[in-house]
Amino acid sequence: MLKILDIRNFTLIGHLTMQFYPGFSVITGETGAGKSIIIGAIGLLLGNRADVRQVKRGCDKCVIEATFDLSVYHSDVLKDFFMDNDLDYDPQECLLRREINASGKSRAFVNDTPVTLATMRELGEQLIDVHSQHQNLLLSKEDFQLNVVDIMARDKVQVADYKASYDEYRAAIRQLDELREQISRNRDNEDFLRFQQKELSEAQLLPDEQEELEQKAETMSHAEDIKRVLHETDACLSGDEGGVVSQTRQVASQLHGIEDVFPEARSLAERLDNCFIEMKDISQDVAARMDDVEFDPALMDEVTSRLDTIYSLQQKYHVSNNSQLLEKLADIDALLSNIDNGDEELHALEERVEALREVCLKKADVLTSLRRKAAALVEDDISKLLVPLGIPKVRFKVDISAGELSATGIDKVVFLFSANSSTEMSPVSQVASGGEIARVMLSLKAMISKAIGLPTIIFDEIDTGVSGRVAEQMAHIMRDMGDAHRQVICITHLPQIAAAGTNHYKVAKAETAEGTVSTMTHLTHEQRVAEIAQMLSGSDVSQAAIDNARSLLEA
């Protein structure tokens, strides 16, 4: 419930702090006085888009702040919201703040914690319902009418259960469509794919083959230089004229011969023994390599031809090695397998889609049953509310017909309306006058508020197109809503409604040295008499108007 609204530097308002109370309150003022500014400020707290032009001229920023009492909620939904968003929760005082800089930057806060605009919007929608004239257009939208029925059906759990199944069903349909498209594309390219599969398979590629062939080709290209170096190395190590290997063995033997008289020679001799063994092994390897290195023209042609084949395939398939070619072959094999086994996979997925559709239809039938029961309640409640609002012959029907499966079920909901008994019922948005639509919307809001217990409802000129006795009845409905542990605030031009308020606020515009400013005042009883008298008679307030105003207030 809204407790305090504080507005700073917002359009024509320099600074305004206003306290609000439970029950039914009214806001009055001449056209253009700034009532819409109050609604605009509250709209910013509900996450509406900010406009830099809303910052009062000459100011750096505007700040809209509202304090709410959350203790009127009898549910843990709000508490869970605060926990889920890591926000401090105080049921006695919840602070929403919106700041707009002259540069255009906007910031939102909940209990002094910065939040996203989406988070503020989600919270604001649970705290305040602002009904403005443009909301009457909702009566032409089927989703609004369906939502009204769902609220009265209290089918939130069933709707969520159905939505989960429907999302799974739609996902399966998308998967089926993608498979069909993929199979179609693959079949269009089947001949080409089979040619590529044959070409790559016949190449009999090996992952490391390219590197081995390139090394072999490099070795054969330099065979003479390699043989020369190996020959010289062999001659040095094991040549007939004192090779390093035989000299090392000879020196080691001499050191062993003096180790009795010179003990240090033993370790030196052993080290040379090890060197002899290693060099002898190297010498044998060099000799073996000399036999292996030969320039074989036929083998060179074979290696070159194989590499040409590999390079050609890599260039053709835009890859850089054999591993990538083999991956390409695996992909082609998978595509062809999809073609070969596509019908089976397609059939299995079609069966799954149909099974999910049946699940959705069963859950949609549950929703339909709940909605039809709720529709009867809606028809009865709205008719009872509209009769005293000056439509004694009203006929109101919630028409529920079957449509296609959608995110909300299978039902199409249309509110049918007739203001008299001689005309057929038609969609309310097509046949109801502006005043009748306003009365229907008020009745719907009154009914919905009882079902969901929304603490604060703001009506912005809900009284459009009505007057006299009907206005009094509208005031009674709003006052009854306010008396049922709710807060109802109505912006009105009608004295009958203004007089019914428990609290009365007046918005006025004045010219000051700083320019035009809007103010808002909580009226005393005598100020209310004067304001309502002016609403009755205009600028020239007569004694009769004053007496009439007192009579309205007493009534």
Side-chain angles (χ1 to χ4, degrees):
M1 183 155 46
L2 179 62
K3 293 167 60 178
I4 300 173
L5 178 65
D6 188 272
I7 303 173
R8 296 175 184 267
N9 304 327
F10 182 68
T11 63
L12 299 180
I13 297 176
H15 183 203
L16 170 68
T17 299
M18 192 56 58
Q19 185 169 1
F20 291 90
Y21 302 90
F24 180 40
S25 300
V26 295
I27 300 175
T28 61
E30 295 180 359
T31 301
K35 298 186 296 297
S36 61
I37 295 176
I38 306 299
I39 294 298
I42 292 174
L44 288 177
L45 296 175
L46 300 183
N48 290 351
R49 185 176 179 180
D51 189 334
V52 68
R53 291 174 296 182
Q54 294 170 319
V55 180
K56 194 174 188 295
R57 184 176 299 177
C59 298
D60 294 331
K61 69 177 180 179
C62 73
V63 180
I64 314 296
E65 194 170 82
T67 305
F68 292 87
D69 178 3
L70 307 184
S71 62
V72 294
Y73 286 84
H74 302 293
S75 169
D76 290 331
V77 173
L78 270 182
K79 186 176 181 180
D80 292 342
F81 174 87
F82 278 78
M83 293 182 62
D84 293 342
N85 290 277
D86 197 23
L87 297 170
D88 294 334
Y89 178 71
D90 181 354
Q92 303 299 325
E93 188 169 290
C94 171
L95 190 66
L96 269 63
R97 185 170 78 254
R98 185 85 180 272
E99 299 178 358
I100 306 169
N101 292 330
S103 61
K105 184 178 180 180
S106 169
R107 298 194 300 169
F109 301 84
V110 174
N111 291 336
D112 292 325
T113 300
V115 297
T116 64
L117 205 55
T119 300
M120 172 168 272
R121 184 180 298 114
E122 186 178 352
L123 176 58
E125 288 175 350
Q126 299 181 67
L127 300 179
I128 301 181
D129 176 28
V130 178
H131 179 91
S132 56
Q133 289 187 39
H134 78 271
Q135 272 203 320
N136 290 338
L137 298 175
L138 291 174
L139 278 177
S140 64
K141 299 183 180 297
E142 288 185 11
D143 56 348
F144 169 76
Q145 299 176 49
L146 175 62
N147 188 45
V148 169
V149 174
D150 278 337
I151 289 173
M152 299 307 295
R154 302 181 186 275
D155 58 2
K156 187 176 181 179
V157 172
Q158 291 84 354
V159 168
D161 183 41
Y162 167 82
K163 183 65 166 51
S165 296
Y166 181 76
D167 289 344
E168 186 179 5
Y169 167 62
R170 290 301 306 170
I173 288 179
R174 288 192 295 272
Q175 186 180 356
L176 178 60
D177 291 341
E178 289 170 2
L179 179 60
R180 284 171 174 163
E181 184 178 351
Q182 182 182 11
I183 290 174
S184 177
R185 285 197 309 267
N186 291 345
R187 283 178 176 165
D188 290 341
N189 298 325
E190 182 175 2
D191 290 342
F192 181 59
L193 288 171
R194 294 201 182 279
F195 167 77
Q196 289 182 317
Q197 182 191 48
K198 183 171 184 270
E199 182 178 50
L200 290 172
S201 297
E202 289 179 348
Q204 296 182 336
L205 300 166
L206 299 173
D208 300 325
E209 180 183 14
Q210 178 182 348
E211 291 78 6
E212 294 175 0
L213 290 172
E214 288 173 339
Q215 184 59 56
K216 186 176 291 187
E218 191 71 15
T219 299
M220 284 194 290
S221 297
H222 298 82
E224 292 301 322
D225 291 336
I226 295 170
K227 284 184 70 69
R228 177 179 57 77
V229 171
L230 290 176
H231 179 75
E232 291 175 356
T233 302
D234 180 62
C236 178
L237 290 172
S238 57
D240 295 336
E241 299 178 359
V244 174
V245 175
S246 61
Q247 289 181 8
T248 301
R249 184 176 185 181
Q250 182 180 355
V251 171
S253 178
Q254 290 175 349
L255 285 172
H256 280 300
I258 63 172
E259 60 187 27
D260 291 337
V261 295
F262 185 61
E264 289 86 348
R266 178 186 296 275
S267 63
L268 295 173
E270 289 175 348
R271 289 167 63 187
L272 284 172
D273 287 340
N274 291 332
C275 290
F276 167 74
I277 294 171
E278 181 66 18
M279 285 189 292
K280 184 178 179 181
D281 187 57
I282 292 172
S283 175
Q284 292 172 347
D285 283 347
V286 169
R289 298 289 191 279
M290 288 173 58
D291 294 335
D292 292 339
V293 178
E294 294 289 345
F295 179 74
D296 185 343
L299 180 59
M300 187 64 175
D301 289 343
E302 181 181 333
V303 170
T304 303
S305 175
R306 181 60 175 170
L307 284 172
D308 287 343
T309 298
I310 291 173
Y311 292 151
S312 176
L313 289 173
Q314 290 175 357
Q315 184 177 13
K316 183 174 183 179
Y317 290 95
H318 306 290
V319 297
S320 59
N321 55 56
N322 274 15
S323 294
Q324 292 174 336
L325 281 174
L326 290 169
E327 289 176 6
K328 181 68 176 178
L329 177 58
D331 291 342
I332 293 171
D333 287 341
L335 290 173
L336 289 173
S337 175
N338 178 269
I339 292 174
D340 295 336
N341 304 314
D343 289 340
E344 293 180 10
E345 187 177 354
L346 195 65
H347 180 67
L349 193 49
E350 286 172 342
E351 287 186 339
R352 181 169 182 267
V353 167
E354 185 58 32
L356 290 173
R357 174 179 166 79
E358 290 300 319
V359 171
C360 288
L361 286 172
K362 289 180 180 178
K363 293 184 178 181
D365 286 341
V366 173
L367 288 178
T368 300
S369 177
L370 293 172
R371 287 166 177 167
R372 289 193 182 280
K373 292 178 182 177
L377 298 176
V378 172
E379 292 169 356
D380 186 55
D381 286 353
I382 298 301
S383 296
K384 288 179 179 177
L385 288 167
L386 288 174
V387 169
L389 289 176
I391 316 178
K393 302 294 185 182
V394 66
R395 287 183 293 154
F396 186 89
K397 179 176 177 57
V398 179
D399 182 66
I400 300 179
S401 59
E404 295 296 323
L405 273 178
S406 70
T408 56
I410 202 170
D411 303 314
K412 293 170 64 69
V413 175
V414 178
F415 290 167
L416 301 179
F417 173 85
S418 174
N420 52 69
S421 56
S422 61
T423 58
E424 293 185 0
M425 286 189 292
S426 298
V428 62
S429 60
Q430 298 178 13
V431 297
S433 65
E436 289 168 343
I437 284 180
R439 282 173 272 181
V440 170
M441 284 301 293
L442 175 60
S443 300
L444 288 171
K445 292 284 184 176
M447 178 185 68
I448 291 171
S449 68
K450 292 180 182 178
I452 62 177
L454 189 65
T456 300
I457 304 173
I458 299 177
F459 291 108
D460 184 9
E461 300 187 1
I462 189 71
D463 51 22
T464 300
V466 299
S467 60
R469 179 69 177 169
V470 172
E472 291 181 11
Q473 291 299 321
M474 292 183 75
H476 291 162
I477 289 176
M478 287 186 280
R479 183 156 185 160
D480 288 344
M481 292 170 65
D483 289 342
H485 305 290
R486 275 182 289 275
Q487 181 183 52
V488 179
I489 301 170
C490 179
I491 296 175
T492 182
H493 289 294
L494 298 180
Q496 296 90 339
I497 292 179
T502 306
N503 292 279
H504 190 158
Y505 303 85
K506 180 178 180 179
V507 178
K509 185 186 291 184
E511 295 296 333
T512 69
E514 298 179 355
T516 304
V517 296
S518 289
T519 61
M520 185 174 179
T521 307
H522 187 198
L523 302 182
T524 64
H525 179 76
E526 288 304 314
Q527 289 172 329
R528 291 190 70 185
V529 171
E531 172 68 5
I532 293 171
Q534 187 174 16
M535 295 173 72
L536 285 166
S537 62
S539 57
D540 296 328
V541 179
S542 63
Q543 185 59 45
I546 294 175
D547 293 339
N548 194 3
R550 290 188 186 279
S551 176
L552 283 174
L553 284 169
E554 291 172 2

